[in-house]
Amino acid sequence: MATRRKNTNRRKPSPGGRKPLITLLVVILLIAGIFFLLERVKSRTPLQIPAVPPAAMERQKIPSRSAETPVILREYTSVVIPPAPKKKPLPRVAGPGTVAIVIDDMGSSMEEARQLLAINLPLTFSIIPGLAKSRSVAEEVHAKGRQVMLHIPMEPKGFPQRKLEKNGLLLSESSADIERQMAEYLQTVPHAVGANNHMGSSFTENGEKMEVVLKVLQGKGLYFIDSKTSSASVGYSLAKKMGMRAASRQVFLDNTLDVAAITSQLDQVAALARKRGSAIAICHPHRQTIQALAAAMPRMQREGIRFVAASELVN
């Protein structure tokens, strides 16, 4: 029997033919791994981020800065404290009391005078002599039945660095010069029935000079109200010693030019008037003051306050 010869031409499997199979297996494993990871992520509980109230977000706003300055954002970890509740305003006290309000520094504007006259309640107009509208304001105020006072410009502390009207009374002047100036004042402010000092923190402390002024007022039958621009003023005490009708200011209304602040001062005057029977307040023809007076005076009248001319509260 003849021996079969082996086919020496048959090819052996090539090692390179296994590579596509291995690559395919790797891809399949990768895809399976990705799906596995996705399932694990879905199965986890999502992170709960607490909602921040709008008010807290407002508190956490970063202040604006210039374009050159880098903004560093920081997380706020402190507890947000809610604002304290607003206190309820105390009820207004009603009751009787008499108040005189003196408007100082009048004489530069007719419009200011007319706005104050339109409030239609007793106000006393104290006019600086020698201003552009001094005579006109005095005439119109008098015609409307309101009281006119002479607002006497007097030397303040810090003069001359602290300004004073050119016709103001100075401590360096003689008694004759002061008397002459007082006569001129009364010519430019007709219908004046009383007077008070404009500035004068130095002048009103000097008894000798004040006596000259008060004698002129006394000779004309005018009363004097001490504006108390100095706690050491002798104006009121000297006037009383001379037998004049006199009084002192209790409250300044508009040292702070804010309607709410001026209204608060008016309420203080009302409380003082209820406690002691009467009170004198001084203010100026600022826009904020006129607005506060126009709103508060009718309300105060409804609450029992009686408004009068300044002459009713001097004795």
Side-chain angles (χ1 to χ4, degrees):
M1 183 171 179
T3 303
R4 183 178 289 182
R5 296 177 64 184
K6 292 182 181 179
N7 187 359
T8 57
N9 295 325
R10 188 176 178 180
R11 293 182 179 178
K12 295 180 181 181
S14 172
R18 297 174 184 172
K19 289 183 179 179
L21 180 59
I22 294 171
T23 303
L24 179 61
L25 288 173
V26 171
V27 171
I28 291 170
L29 289 172
L30 286 173
I31 293 171
I34 291 170
F35 276 102
F36 175 76
L37 290 172
L38 288 174
E39 289 299 322
R40 288 292 301 273
V41 170
K42 288 180 181 179
S43 65
R44 292 183 180 177
T45 303
L47 179 63
Q48 297 294 325
I49 301 175
V52 181
M57 293 177 69
E58 282 295 318
R59 292 189 191 94
Q60 294 182 11
K61 286 183 179 177
I62 305 297
S64 60
R65 306 188 185 195
S66 63
E68 293 79 9
T69 307
V71 177
I72 302 173
L73 298 177
R74 293 187 178 90
E75 293 184 1
Y76 286 80
T77 57
S78 59
V79 177
V80 176
I81 301 173
K86 291 183 178 180
K87 293 182 180 179
K88 293 182 179 179
L90 296 174
R92 295 187 185 279
V93 178
T98 304
V99 170
I101 297 179
V102 179
I103 313 294
D104 275 358
D105 294 2
M106 298 299 298
S108 61
S109 167
M110 290 299 299
E111 181 59 28
E112 291 169 352
R114 287 166 182 158
Q115 288 176 9
L116 288 161
L117 287 168
I119 296 173
N120 203 29
L121 284 169
L123 291 168
T124 302
F125 294 76
S126 193
I127 300 171
I128 297 176
L131 298 184
K133 303 293 181 181
S134 294
R135 179 177 292 277
S136 300
V137 170
E139 295 286 4
E140 182 148 351
V141 166
H142 178 71
K144 296 291 184 181
R146 298 290 178 254
Q147 198 168 94
V148 175
M149 287 176 61
L150 175 66
H151 200 29
I152 308 171
M154 295 178 170
E155 182 176 328
K157 290 183 176 173
F159 179 83
Q161 287 75 24
R162 190 175 179 190
K163 300 300 180 182
L164 176 69
E165 282 74 16
K166 292 180 180 179
N167 62 346
L169 301 181
L170 303 177
L171 291 171
S172 59
E173 293 177 313
S174 66
S175 296
D177 286 337
I178 293 172
E179 290 173 352
R180 176 184 52 77
Q181 285 179 266
M182 287 291 296
E184 291 176 359
Y185 293 164
L186 292 168
Q187 288 293 321
T188 60
V189 182
H191 312 296
V193 295
N196 70 330
N197 55 290
H198 167 56
M199 305 180 77
S201 51
S202 278
F203 197 97
T204 58
E205 291 180 1
N206 188 299
E208 180 184 350
K209 301 299 181 180
M210 281 301 299
E211 186 174 6
V212 177
V213 171
L214 293 173
K215 280 183 177 179
V216 173
L217 296 177
Q218 188 176 37
K220 297 292 184 180
L222 274 62
Y223 62 80
F224 177 72
I225 292 179
D226 194 333
S227 300
K228 298 296 286 185
T229 55
S230 166
S231 59
S233 172
V234 300
Y236 171 72
S237 59
L238 184 57
K240 294 303 293 180
K241 185 177 179 181
M242 293 169 60
M244 291 179 63
R245 296 170 64 227
S248 288
R249 178 271 313 166
Q250 277 79 52
V251 179
F252 274 123
L253 295 179
D254 51 6
N255 285 339
T256 300
L257 281 183
D258 173 78
V259 173
I262 297 166
T263 302
S264 178
Q265 289 295 95
L266 281 163
D267 289 335
Q268 180 184 339
V269 172
L272 187 61
R274 291 185 179 105
K275 181 178 179 180
R276 54 182 288 175
S278 64
I280 297 174
I282 287 179
C283 59
H284 307 82
H286 301 298
R287 174 181 55 81
Q288 297 91 333
T289 306
I290 296 172
Q291 184 179 342
L293 292 174
M297 288 181 71
R299 184 258 300 166
M300 293 168 67
Q301 187 182 49
R302 291 192 298 271
E303 293 171 355
I305 294 299
R306 183 172 72 97
F307 291 102
V308 298
S311 62
E312 293 196 34
L313 297 186
V314 296
N315 51 55

